[in-house]
Amino acid sequence: MTSFLTGVERPRGVFVGLTVLDILSRVQHAPAQNEKVTALRQDIAAGGPAANAAVTFAALGGEAVLVTALGEGAPSDLARADLESHGVRIIDCAPPSFALGLSSITVIDGNGDRSVVSTDGGSVVVELESDAAAAVSEGLSGAGVVLADGHHPEMLRAVLALVPSDIPVVVDAGRWKPQFEWILEPDRHIVASADFTDPHGWMPSDGNTPSGRLAGGVVVQTHGAGPIAWHAFGATGEVPAHSVRAVDTLGAGDAFHGGYAYGVALTGPGNIVENLGLAARVAATRVSHVGPRNWLKYLG
């Protein structure tokens, strides 16, 4: 099977991290304390940074393998069905009695802004058992990229130990977590928003270049509707974001990461401007359409 964007053999990406079940309500305004509001629309879909990036990668024409924790039960069944219906292959590392986290999400109809309440997947230790490790090794064979979102650190550390040195690793740096002490490495592609800060000052600020451990590494920072700044291979530049009317910003960063991972797997890690241009177009498409999955059909 080939990618509809390029006509070349499908790239494979391995995505490692969080899956939750998103319960979304679109409203005219955010409810005040003790106020009840009527939803204009409601949706249920799998969520989580790695899960959404995998869905994006698959929608672009890639072969997406998601290493995560799903477990059993009604929420897990709904999330699994959604992911599989969008072409994502799942390697489930959930321990016994694992309960999939739920995210309650409110999206404002006027501007697409969202608020999220979630368990964030941090209360249960998820490890990579032998059967799952064998499946991950098979998934890594022929992969063009690995994306890690920093969740389930024990599982992630074990997966990263299996990644061959010639496969680029993209890190979705959402917000600082203790495990980023060892996840942020100079040979990885660190893709973060301007809001991401670390206690060491490694990440660029005020136009500076990466420092300390990340000096000379690949660091990308998005700025919402502003230009995307990049520092890579001793060079620095910007890629413009696409100007669109945002109607739903939920998962825009995840879509960006999935698009960037697709570009890395398809054209190689050195094509920074081209890969970021693709990611920017994907993110612009995401925010231009209402709903967690409706936008995928516009990627072509």
Side-chain angles (χ1 to χ4, degrees), residues 16-215:
V16 189
L18 182 67
T19 300
V20 295
L21 184 68
D22 285 346
I23 303 171
L24 307 100
S25 297
R26 190 172 186 88
V27 297
Q28 288 183 329
H29 66 272
Q33 187 173 1
N34 293 323
E35 180 187 10
K36 295 182 179 180
V37 297
T38 300
L40 304 175
R41 168 184 174 141
Q42 290 188 304
D43 295 279
I44 295 178
N52 281 330
V55 168
T56 302
F57 189 94
L60 286 168
E63 183 184 351
V65 179
L66 175 62
V67 186
T68 189
L70 275 181
E72 299 179 354
S76 303
D77 291 344
L78 290 169
R80 181 179 288 105
D82 176 51
L83 292 168
E84 291 180 344
S85 72
H86 289 91
V88 176
R89 174 188 164 195
I90 300 165
I91 299 176
D92 188 2
C93 300
S97 302
F98 177 83
L100 188 70
L102 305 178
S103 288
S104 176
I105 300 167
T106 301
V107 180
I108 307 302
D109 188 56
N111 56 19
D113 287 349
R114 82 288 187 273
S115 58
V116 181
V117 178
S118 177
T119 57
D120 208 26
S123 60
V124 178
V125 173
V126 178
E127 297 181 317
L128 189 69
E129 302 296 343
S130 57
D131 289 349
V136 169
S137 295
E138 188 276 329
L140 288 169
S141 177
V145 69
V146 171
L147 181 140
D149 69 9
H151 292 277
H152 300 317
E154 293 83 6
M155 178 189 77
L156 174 58
R157 189 190 287 273
V159 171
L160 291 177
L162 299 174
V163 178
S165 59
D166 60 340
I167 298 180
V169 175
V170 175
V171 177
D172 174 350
R175 65 180 184 276
W176 179 260
K177 306 178 186 68
Q179 52 266 34
F180 279 120
E181 294 279 359
W182 51 267
I183 294 173
L184 299 184
E185 293 287 350
D187 59 344
R188 294 170 181 161
H189 293 229
I190 314 302
V191 184
S193 73
D195 296 329
F196 181 82
T197 58
D198 67 86
H200 307 287
W202 297 333
M203 295 292 289
S205 62
D206 300 326
N208 297 326
T209 58
S211 61
R213 181 185 295 180
L214 300 184

Side-chain angles (χ1 to χ4, degrees), residues 5 52-53 56-57 59-60 111-112 191-192 220-228 239-262 274-292 295-296 298-300:
L5 287 184
N52 281 330
T56 302
F57 189 94
L60 286 168
N111 56 19
V191 184
V220 174
Q221 286 182 303
T222 61
H223 296 82
I228 302 153
V239 172
H242 286 248
S243 179
V244 295
R245 177 176 176 267
V247 297
D248 193 340
T249 60
L250 179 68
D254 304 339
F256 185 94
H257 288 99
Y260 181 75
Y262 184 84
E274 181 178 352
N275 295 339
L276 288 176
L278 171 61
R281 294 194 297 275
V282 170
T285 303
R286 168 65 195 101
V287 302
S288 300
H289 300 279
V290 172
W295 69 281
L296 296 171
Y298 298 98
L299 284 178

